[in-house]
Amino acid sequence: MSSYNVVDALEKELSHSALLKGVFDHSTISVPALLLISLLLSWRLWRFTITPWLHPDDPKELPYWIPSHLLPFFNNSGVLLTKARRTLRNNREPFAITVGGSTIYVLTMPKDVAEAYRNTTSLSFDIFVQVMMRNLGSSAQSVKAMFSPMPTEKDGFPNPHEKPLGRLARELHTTQLYPGEHLSFLNDKFIESFGDQLDLEKMAETNYAARDEKGGVTVPLLKWSSDVFTRAGQVAYFGDLLGVIDPNLTWTFLEFDDLSWQVLFQYPRIVSRRMHAARERLTVALEKYFSVPAEDRGEQAWFTHAMEHEMRTVGISTHDIATMMTTIYWGFVNTLWISKSKLTSRWLRINTNTRKASFWMLAYLIENPQLLARIRRETEPAFTAGALSVDYLKDSCPLLDDVWNETLRHSAYSASVRHITEDTIIGGKTLRKGNRLMIPYRQLHFDEGVFGEDAQNFEPARFEKNPKLLRSASWRPFGGGITMCPGRYVAKESVSVFIAIALRRFNMDFVKGQVFPQGAEGTPVLGIMNIQDGQDPLVKITPRQS
């Protein structure tokens, strides 16, 4: 910090003192109160003016009064981070915020983000993962077993480098979710499930749909897409048996998922009882499922069987398997991204993100009938003799790709987190051991220097005009580095299949008087934004004439 900046900052802090002095001159104030205010001003002067001058290599910290940035962070973290970036000269160098007594360093410069992703030695997510696993009910013994090295000579999945199961799990996920026979299995299950569920008669039987006189139905869009995707993901990974064990498991999951951010931020149990109650119901159903002999469960995804085998190999009990698979259900049944960990983050996405991604994508299309019509024309040739070609959707639908990418850019609201195990220099600043590092993707995705002055607008054509955006360091919907989410393929393909079938079968319009939903930017999420309370738009769905 230059001497000019120090003087400038001192004058600013002293102006607070002068203002307070004016108050004291015209008010009656007690000596203890005066002492308290003086101490507060002295603390602030030391913390945000003198300390930065003494340690110029540390990231600048957004000043605050007591009690830190806790409330602003949870009210709307995006607004807080934007305020911090602008307050600290908007040069996108690493900066710091204090949340509940913890210092969090924030990266918003693409080159700094890339540097962080390359660092696999002093930036760790394992500590956070283990704490989260314990918060989700896993026993200390099972967490230890998950992170203890496994022998190279063992049955099951190859492990030549003696990785612990907590890290080997990523390779199992990759085997399931990368293009190949296991991904094709999931795609076939999604197509089969969507084909069955996207039926007006069956939709009309749900407890959230209203039938009209002309054979159509009216549904709340988010609830409908959530129901469809959660059921499809559950069947794809666990077969039909789980739904037989608990027919209401879909709604239990949705209740849990809406509150699941409380796990990430380690809310005390006393204020997160609803979330824990829903999680426990999920675990009970899964424990019953894994108590049934594997040969009697029917069809299930390769990963489900392989992961169970590996956990039993390291001595994890059926109850703990169910607890960990609850996290997988949280992740798989929506098979989407988050770049946060080598283990748990892969399990957080099945249901919690694809259902929201499909909702936002469909909402943008319904809001723009011309764009919807273009997508319908583009995807129609994917259907041959009633069969849907996923390969055609992947390879021959560039507009569908652009809409998908722009939907992610607008709706992805997650952040990657690392625990700093040693002092680390990134972006010319020293990140101190014991603190946390945060990479908020939304700050990257709305960088006007990368995505243009219209970055706030929904404009799929930006990816057509500039394909290099997809290779930009500011494009991080699935994270990056060695923790880039392997679920990105099945996420895109399952949403594309859902959109293509829905547009082919139905006309869809917002009910008159509905407003386009606003994202719940103030609610912490693990990936895709939710909507603000009470804004699930009603959509009228009618059959298309052949």
Side-chain angles (χ1 to χ4, degrees), residues 22 45 87 197 260 338 343 376 409 411 421 429 513 516 529 542:
L45 182 66
T87 300
Q197 293 189 75
S260 59
I338 207 175
L343 167 69
R376 180 178 279 148
R409 191 180 71 82
S411 60
T421 59
K429 297 295 182 180
F516 192 84
M529 263 194 312
T542 55

Side-chain angles (χ1 to χ4, degrees), residues 150-164:
M150 298 175 70
T152 56
E153 300 297 327
K154 68 174 188 64
D155 293 334
F157 197 78
N159 187 26
H161 302 295
E162 296 187 341
K163 292 181 179 180

Side-chain angles (χ1 to χ4, degrees), residues 200-402:
L200 285 176
E201 288 300 317
K202 291 187 177 181
M203 290 163 60
E205 294 173 358
T206 63
N207 60 7
Y208 53 79
R211 188 194 299 262
D212 65 29
E213 300 174 352
K214 299 181 180 179
V217 297
T218 298
V219 297
L221 184 59
L222 178 59
K223 182 171 284 189
W224 174 53
S225 60
S226 296
D227 184 18
V228 171
F229 266 88
T230 303
R231 292 180 189 278
Q234 177 178 300
V235 171
Y237 274 88
F238 300 102
D240 295 324
L241 178 60
L242 195 54
V244 173
I245 291 172
D246 187 346
N248 294 317
L249 206 60
T250 295
W251 302 110
T252 298
F253 164 76
L254 293 175
E255 180 182 358
F256 168 71
D257 188 44
D258 284 341
L259 299 169
S260 59
W261 55 270
Q262 295 174 354
V263 177
L264 182 64
F265 292 103
Q266 301 175 30
Y267 264 43
R269 194 178 186 95
I270 193 171
V271 294
S272 56
R273 289 174 178 170
R274 281 187 56 217
M275 179 273 291
H276 281 288
R279 177 195 60 77
E280 287 164 5
R281 293 198 299 274
L282 290 171
T283 302
V284 167
L286 283 164
E287 186 167 3
K288 292 178 180 177
Y289 176 87
F290 285 106
S291 295
V292 174
E295 61 272 17
D296 295 334
R297 295 178 201 156
E299 217 170 14
Q300 60 184 3
W302 172 86
F303 177 91
T304 306
H305 172 75
M307 193 67 196
E308 179 192 5
H309 173 80
E310 298 295 336
M311 286 192 284
R312 293 197 185 280
T313 297
V314 297
I316 296 176
S317 69
T318 299
H319 176 74
D320 275 319
I321 289 174
T323 300
M324 293 189 183
M325 285 292 187
T326 297
T327 315
I328 294 180
Y329 185 106
W330 188 15
F332 286 168
V333 184
N334 267 326
T335 316
L336 253 183
W337 49 84
I338 207 175
S339 67
K340 292 183 178 178
S341 82
K342 302 175 180 68
L343 167 69
T344 305
S345 66
R346 306 303 170 209
W347 299 5
L348 302 183
R349 303 273 80 78
I350 294 184
N351 283 321
T352 193
N353 281 314
T354 46
R355 68 182 182 93
K356 296 174 188 173
S358 64
F359 158 78
W360 284 113
M361 189 167 175
L362 203 49
Y364 282 119
L365 291 176
I366 296 172
E367 177 75 359
N368 188 334
Q370 292 182 334
L371 181 60
L372 185 151
R374 290 173 62 197
I375 292 292
R376 180 178 279 148
R377 288 194 298 270
E378 183 180 67
T379 57
E380 180 62 32
F383 295 89
T384 304
L388 174 60
S389 169
V390 177
D391 288 338
Y392 187 92
L393 295 179
K394 287 191 300 182
D395 303 331
S396 304
C397 297
L399 181 59
L400 185 67
D401 288 347
D402 292 342

Side-chain angles (χ1 to χ4, degrees), residues 171-217:
E171 297 182 21
L172 272 73
H173 274 285
T174 300
T175 301
Q176 176 70 70
L177 298 174
Y178 269 36
E181 62 173 318
H182 298 312
L183 178 59
S184 295
F185 171 87
L186 293 182
N187 283 333
D188 290 344
K189 289 297 180 182
F190 276 112
I191 291 173
E192 180 182 348
S193 182
F194 293 155
D196 180 61
Q197 293 189 75
L198 297 184
D199 176 88
L200 285 176
E201 288 300 317
K202 291 187 177 181
M203 290 163 60
E205 294 173 358
T206 63
N207 60 7
Y208 53 79
R211 188 194 299 262
D212 65 29
E213 300 174 352
K214 299 181 180 179
V217 297

